[in-house]
């Protein structure tokens, strides 16, 4: 009887080692907090002082909610994408004004000034960010004045089509470190933490007090800062 018991205990130990090494079930619900930094200084571009230094990504059942807040709550933006719906939403709050812009899920959001890369080269590199193993890709652009950019993404988070509505929608993993140009300012995002916590379903719904608006209205407020 000792041999079967030993084998049983050995199997438990192996399973425990597998879990610690990262071979675990992919997370499908939680919160990712990104640190945000800007390549321009406040002196070079005063708008930087108004921009957020943190962005929060909530995910649940392949739904996405991305929120940011700038200038002590003066304005906030929220991107909502429900996986089963054909529309995504950008919500903008400026003081007491609340706007909801709906657009096709296949369309890159207008807030990204950067075009999609001409070529994505997947590198034989990896790094750990916020406790998750990440693969690395290099982006090349049609405009040769833009230097190639490296991004890091993880496949350990179970989120389908995580980069929808962005210029990097071809990358299937969740981006953990990347750069883009938003509102004409070069911006870097780095995942600071990942919390596998329960997310309320209303994070992925548009509040009733947000008024349906067109792109021109949102551009007036968002791009008008520059």
């Amino acid at each position: 009887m000792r041999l079967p018991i030993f084998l049983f205990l050995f199997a438990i130990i192996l399973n425990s080692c597998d879990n610690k090494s990262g071979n675990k079930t992919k997370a499908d619900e939680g919160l990712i907090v990104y640190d945000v930094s800007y390549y321009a200084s406040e002196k070079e571009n005063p708008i930087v002082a108004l921009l957020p230094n943190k962005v929060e990504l909530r995910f649940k059942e392949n739904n996405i909610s991305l929120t940011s807040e700038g200038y002590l709550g003066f304005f906030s933006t929220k991107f909502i994408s429900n996986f089963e719906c054909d529309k995504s939403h950008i919500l903008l709050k400026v003081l007491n004004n609340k706007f909801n812009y709906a657009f096709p899920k296949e369309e890159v959001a207008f807030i990204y000034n950067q075009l999609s890369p001409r070529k994505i080269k997947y590198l034989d590199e990896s790094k750990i960010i916020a406790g998750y193993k990440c693969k690395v890709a290099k982006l090349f652009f049609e405009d040769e004045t833009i230097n190639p950019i490296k991004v890091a993404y993880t496949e350990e988070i179970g989120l389908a089509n995580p980069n929808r509505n962005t210029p990097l929608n071809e990358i299937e993993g969740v981006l953990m470190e990347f750069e883009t140009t938003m509102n004409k300012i070069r911006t870097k995002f780095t995942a600071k933490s990942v919390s596998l916590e329960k997310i309320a379903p209303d994070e992925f719904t548009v509040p009733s007090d947000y008024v349906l608006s067109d792109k021109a209205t949102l551009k007036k407020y968002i791009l008008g800062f520059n």
Side-chain angles (χ1 to χ4, degrees), residues 33-167:
V33 178
Y34 294 87
D35 280 336
V36 185
S37 57
Y38 303 94
Y39 283 88
S41 66
E42 292 181 23
K43 185 177 181 180
E44 294 169 322
N45 192 336
I47 189 63
V48 171
L50 306 178
L51 299 177
N53 56 21
K54 181 179 74 173
V55 168
E56 297 181 343
L57 171 66
R58 291 172 174 81
F59 59 96
K60 179 187 180 77
E61 298 174 352
N62 292 321
N63 300 324
I64 296 172
S65 168
L66 187 70
T67 60
S68 63
E69 184 177 284
Y71 195 53
L72 302 176
F74 176 77
F75 72 91
S76 65
T77 59
K78 185 172 186 177
F79 166 75
I80 295 176
S81 176
N82 286 286
F83 191 69
E84 300 298 332
C85 298
D86 59 358
K87 296 280 188 181
S88 296
H89 301 264
I90 294 177
L91 307 183
L92 172 66
K93 181 173 77 71
V94 181
L95 294 179
N96 294 323
N97 301 301
K98 298 180 180 180
F99 307 101
N100 165 29
Y101 171 61
F103 61 106
K105 190 162 62 175
E106 300 78 22
E107 182 180 300
V108 174
F110 71 87
I111 58 175
Y112 296 101
N113 305 121
Q114 180 176 300
L115 296 176
S116 298
R118 168 180 57 82
K119 175 184 174 183
I120 300 176
K121 182 179 181 180
Y122 296 95
L123 306 179
D124 187 20
E125 296 181 22
S126 65
K127 60 195 304 187
I128 302 297
I129 300 176
Y132 283 76
K133 184 177 180 180
C134 299
K135 296 182 177 181
V136 179
K138 197 170 188 178
L139 313 179
F140 298 85
F141 300 92
E142 205 69 53
D143 184 350
E144 294 183 356
T145 63
I146 302 176
N147 293 326
I149 297 172
K150 283 187 177 182
V151 299
Y153 62 96
T154 183
E155 296 176 342
E156 294 183 347
I157 294 177
L159 183 55
N161 191 15
N163 306 308
R164 65 193 84 146
N165 297 120
T166 81

Side-chain angles (χ1 to χ4, degrees), residues 5-56:
I5 292 174
F6 172 77
L7 291 175
F8 176 70
L9 292 174
F10 185 63
I12 292 175
I13 293 171
L14 282 179
N15 184 62
S16 174
C17 290
D18 284 344
N19 286 338
K20 290 179 181 179
S21 67
N23 296 327
K24 53 182 180 290
T25 303
K26 290 185 179 181
D28 59 3
E29 181 176 8
L31 165 68
I32 304 175
V33 178
Y34 294 87
D35 280 336
V36 185
S37 57
Y38 303 94
Y39 283 88
S41 66
E42 292 181 23
K43 185 177 181 180
E44 294 169 322
N45 192 336
I47 189 63
V48 171
L50 306 178
L51 299 177
N53 56 21
K54 181 179 74 173
V55 168
E56 297 181 343

